[in-house]
């Protein structure tokens, strides 16, 4: 079945540091890939998405590129802020069917001033 | 911007009691979903719903669970006889038929004592 694997957290960075959160996936077909963010005490917000190979999703300074050859969708940001502290979930929706989201385990990011 | 809403934000119940969690999806969406997140764990798919019937359900979604769209706006998840292990955050989501991203509500934290 479909699965998403994320790097273990927590990740602790200083403000303005470079962020990478690794994500790889296994899926049949041609999935769409997503990053969701969950701020403390809040629900899940869509951060960015990519629907086909080589697409780059971007939002709020975060980027991720859909790499079919390595089945990866790593999240990056050039300069993190304290307000980026949250849990980040990599996810996929497979083509066809009724579009259930398969989530990774989540990576907690803590940014310290 | 339209959003998914959920009530209540926190529900405390005794083991064996029935609970109903309520969601109002985005108005022009046609696919509806429930997910749950046990504290500290990944977000897990429970069920998807389209055209007034369940389209897919996970192995978690046993006979104790049911979903309903009682009117044109609400979407509910009922747990008939709650167990301690049902304690989790429950997220409702909805999606438009022509787009693959799902929009999540803020969640209902269910605590079973």
């Amino acid at each position: 079945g479909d699965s998403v694997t994320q790097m273990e957290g927590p990740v602790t960075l200083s403000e303005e540091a470079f962020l990478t959160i690794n994500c790889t996936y296994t899926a049949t077909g041609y999935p769409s890939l997503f990053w969701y963010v969950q701020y403390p005490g809040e629900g899940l917000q869509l951060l960015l998405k990519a629907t086909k190979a080589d697409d780059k999703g971007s939002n709020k300074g975060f980027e991720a590129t859909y790499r079919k050859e390595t089945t990866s969708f790593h999240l990056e940001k050039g300069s993190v802020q304290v307000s980026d502290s949250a849990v980040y979930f990599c996810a996929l929706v497979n083509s066809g069917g009724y579009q259930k989201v398969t989530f990774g385990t989540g990576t907690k990011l803590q940014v310290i001033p | 911007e339209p959003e998914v809403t959920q009530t209540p934000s926190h529900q405390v119940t005794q083991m064996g009691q029935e609970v109903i969690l309520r969601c109002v999806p985005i108005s022009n969406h046609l696919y509806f979903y429930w997910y749950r997140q046990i504290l500290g764990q990944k977000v897990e798919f429970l069920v998807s719903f389209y055209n007034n019937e369940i389209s897919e359900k996970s192995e978690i979604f046993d006979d104790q669970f049911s979903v309903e769209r009682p009117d044109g706006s609400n979407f509910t998840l009922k747990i008939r006889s709650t167990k301690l292990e049902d304690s989790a955050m429950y997220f409702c989501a909805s999606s438009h038929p022509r787009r693959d991203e799902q929009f999540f509500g803020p969640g209902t934290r269910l605590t079973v004592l």
Side-chain angles (χ1 to χ4, degrees):
Chain A
D2 300 340
S3 67
V4 176
T5 302
Q6 286 180 241
M7 62 187 286
E8 293 279 333
V11 174
T12 302
L13 295 174
S14 298
E15 207 165 20
E16 299 183 2
F18 184 86
L19 168 71
T20 300
I21 301 178
N22 290 336
C23 169
T24 57
Y25 68 90
T26 303
T28 56
Y30 302 96
S32 294
L33 302 176
F34 303 85
W35 279 98
Y36 283 87
V37 59
Q38 185 177 33
Y39 296 102
E42 298 186 16
L44 296 162
Q45 298 177 27
L46 178 64
L47 180 60
L48 55 83
K49 62 178 273 192
T51 57
K52 61 184 187 297
D54 300 324
D55 268 3
K56 178 186 282 189
S58 60
N59 186 25
K60 299 181 182 179
F62 291 90
E63 293 183 341
T65 301
Y66 190 143
R67 301 283 188 204
K68 194 168 188 299
E69 64 277 12
T70 54
T71 62
S72 64
F73 193 55
H74 305 320
L75 182 69
E76 296 182 336
K77 186 174 186 183
S79 176
V80 294
Q81 305 300 312
V82 172
S83 57
D84 294 326
S85 298
V87 180
Y88 292 82
F89 291 91
C90 186
L92 68 83
V93 170
N94 214 333
S95 56
Y98 292 95
Q99 304 180 335
K100 73 177 182 186
V101 180
T102 299
F103 287 91
T105 51
T107 302
K108 184 174 182 178
L109 170 66
Q110 184 176 12
V111 180
I112 53 179
Chain B
E1 187 173 331
E3 56 184 22
V4 177
T5 59
Q6 291 185 241
T7 54
S9 57
H10 191 188
Q11 173 94 46
V12 181
T13 189
Q14 296 290 325
M15 192 169 56
Q17 295 296 304
E18 174 184 287
V19 295
I20 297 176
L21 310 183
R22 291 184 166 80
C23 168
V24 179
I26 294 172
S27 62
N28 65 344
H29 287 185
L30 299 180
Y31 293 94
F32 313 113
Y33 312 83
W34 284 101
Y35 295 81
R36 79 171 185 192
Q37 183 184 29
I38 295 172
L39 187 63
Q41 298 186 23
K42 69 160 59 175
V43 179
E44 302 173 290
F45 168 78
L46 291 178
V47 66
S48 58
F49 190 85
Y50 170 70
N51 200 25
N52 282 319
E53 60 183 29
I54 290 174
S55 43
E56 188 176 358
K57 60 183 181 180
S58 71
E59 60 274 11
I60 303 168
F61 194 88
D62 61 21
D63 292 344
Q64 293 299 310
F65 292 89
S66 62
V67 290
E68 191 178 32
R69 188 156 162 81
D71 54 43
S73 60
N74 290 283
F75 180 51
T76 62
L77 174 70
K78 182 193 290 187
I79 308 175
R80 270 182 258 286
S81 177
T82 50
K83 309 187 210 36
L84 295 175
E85 54 265 37
D86 293 327
S87 294
M89 181 74 90
Y90 288 81
F91 292 105
C92 174
S94 68
S95 65
H96 187 277
R98 291 198 189 87
R99 299 178 66 94
D100 54 11
E101 66 259 38
Q102 295 181 17
F103 293 85
F104 285 78
T108 293
R109 179 166 298 285
L110 175 65
T111 302
V112 182
L113 303 176

